[in-house]
Amino acid sequence: MRILRSSLLSLFRLWLLALLSAPGMVLAGDTPFQSAAGPGVRRQAIRDIENPAVVMSVAAGPGEEDLPTLAALRMGSGARVVSLYVTDGGATPSDIDGDLPVRVAGRRRIEAESVMRGLGGEAFFLGFPDYGFVSRKESLEQLWNRDSLLNRFVFAIRTYRPDVILYETDPRESGGDTVRPALIREVMLAAVTASAGPGLMLPSGHPPWSVSRVFAETRSPVTPHSVDVDEIHPVLKKSYRAIAAGAGRSYRSLRVQRGEWNSGRKGTYELMGSGEGGLKGLIDGLPVIPASLKDDASDVRQAA
């Protein structure tokens, strides 16, 4: 019995050593958001005060968000980041097994929350079923109920009050499925307009909100907007791309497919609507920071 216990303990030590030495892994304590004593906590606190911008990423399902860009915005700039998912992604088969869509959807939700938590962001689900390929937009509008989709989008916008929205590329579009991305994009833009007005009746505490900028991800932008995802975090000594790759390993059920989706992805965005002269970054000049907050940031920096 003693020999068996010793063997098991040795195996556990070997497993733990391999886990801790794995390159790019984001474990507890590896980012400022994993624990109160994690590396870079003071720096992150300063960045959070210096840049209170809110960025909302809109993706059709888990695994489709632009993690390197979100990591750079959150950990590099200090912006608050929320990743909104229209569906749970249940119709996309699991890379682990042939589980039922309803179980896959539950797993994806847990994975997405874990990924965003590791990057210091939040995951928000609109809760619509993933029906897979739907050939006609009218059919999908009936299945989802367009008015419900609009109302939930407006609810999310007024809840998180984003300064910037990033519409992420739908991987199904490259496979010829243009119905889902077209509907999501169309209703999202309608929600941005509706959110700024008093027309929709929502629960108290959700006043109108105007989004300053809306970007759409594109691989061939005319006027590209992006952040430097290859910049090295001064404390973690890793690029934001590498940090995002480590966090993305939580998507175990998409470990193969995400590699295909992200192949050739550049993290570049096109401003939707009227342009802003000289704008290159995604959150440049947003939001306008009150003088009191600037003083608070200075006090925290001196204290650190």
Side-chain angles (χ1 to χ4, degrees):
M1 186 71 178
R2 184 175 298 172
I3 295 176
L4 177 61
R5 184 179 301 170
S6 177
S7 299
L8 290 174
L9 183 58
S10 297
L11 288 172
F12 174 76
R13 286 172 176 167
L14 288 173
W15 171 83
L16 185 59
L17 178 61
L19 186 64
L20 291 174
S21 60
M25 289 293 285
V26 176
L27 303 173
D30 276 357
T31 74
F33 313 106
Q34 299 294 338
S35 70
V41 170
R42 290 183 178 180
R43 178 186 183 277
Q44 189 64 49
I46 294 171
R47 301 302 287 148
D48 290 351
I49 296 176
E50 289 179 333
N51 193 349
V54 179
V55 177
M56 175 179 285
S57 164
V58 174
E64 300 174 19
E65 64 282 88
D66 180 3
L67 290 182
T69 293
L70 296 182
L73 289 171
R74 181 70 188 102
M75 301 176 68
S77 300
R80 181 187 179 191
V81 169
V82 56
S83 189
L84 180 149
Y85 307 98
V86 178
T87 76
D88 293 329
T92 301
S94 172
D95 290 339
I96 301 175
D97 50 36
D99 214 342
L100 296 173
V102 64
R103 290 170 59 89
V104 172
R107 178 181 292 162
R108 295 270 161 75
R109 180 184 285 263
I110 294 173
E111 291 173 345
E113 291 172 345
S114 176
V115 168
M116 294 309 300
R117 186 166 54 249
L119 296 180
E122 300 178 54
F124 184 85
F125 291 85
L126 294 189
F128 287 90
D130 185 359
Y131 290 107
F133 180 80
V134 179
S135 60
R136 297 173 61 250
K137 189 174 77 169
E138 294 78 10
S139 299
L140 188 56
E141 284 180 332
Q142 292 179 354
L143 289 170
W144 278 352
N145 189 318
R146 183 188 178 92
D147 289 341
S148 295
L149 182 60
L150 176 66
N151 285 335
R152 293 189 199 183
F153 256 123
V154 172
F155 177 83
I157 292 172
R158 290 186 177 180
T159 298
Y160 287 99
R161 306 169 76 79
D163 299 288
V164 173
I165 289 180
L166 304 178
Y167 172 75
E168 311 291 9
T169 298
D170 190 329
R172 291 186 188 174
E173 199 163 4
S174 61
D177 182 359
T178 60
V179 170
R180 186 177 74 167
L183 179 60
I184 292 175
R185 181 169 173 155
E186 181 181 312
V187 176
M188 177 197 71
L189 291 175
V192 169
T193 301
S195 179
L200 293 178
M201 297 297 293
L202 293 177
S204 59
H206 294 80
W209 177 255
S210 297
V211 180
S212 298
R213 298 173 193 155
V214 181
F215 293 94
E217 185 183 10
T218 175
R219 299 190 181 188
S220 55
V222 177
T223 307
H225 305 279
S226 62
V227 292
D228 185 2
V229 299
D230 292 312
E231 180 182 348
I232 303 299
H233 189 282
V235 177
L236 303 182
K237 307 303 181 185
K238 298 178 181 179
S239 70
Y240 297 111
R241 187 189 301 276
I243 293 171
R249 286 186 172 88
S250 291
Y251 276 128
R252 294 183 63 245
S253 69
L254 290 168
R255 57 190 174 188
V256 176
Q257 295 175 83
R258 282 192 70 249
E260 298 173 354
W261 295 348
N262 292 327
S263 176
R265 200 171 190 177
K266 299 179 180 178
T268 51
Y269 293 81
E270 194 80 67
L271 186 65
M272 303 176 73
S274 58
E276 296 183 46
L279 178 66
K280 291 295 182 182
L282 297 173
I283 59 173
D284 292 357
L286 292 176
V288 177
I289 304 175
S292 59
L293 282 182
K294 290 183 179 180
D295 293 340
D296 289 342
S298 177
D299 292 342
V300 172
R301 186 180 294 279
Q302 292 177 6

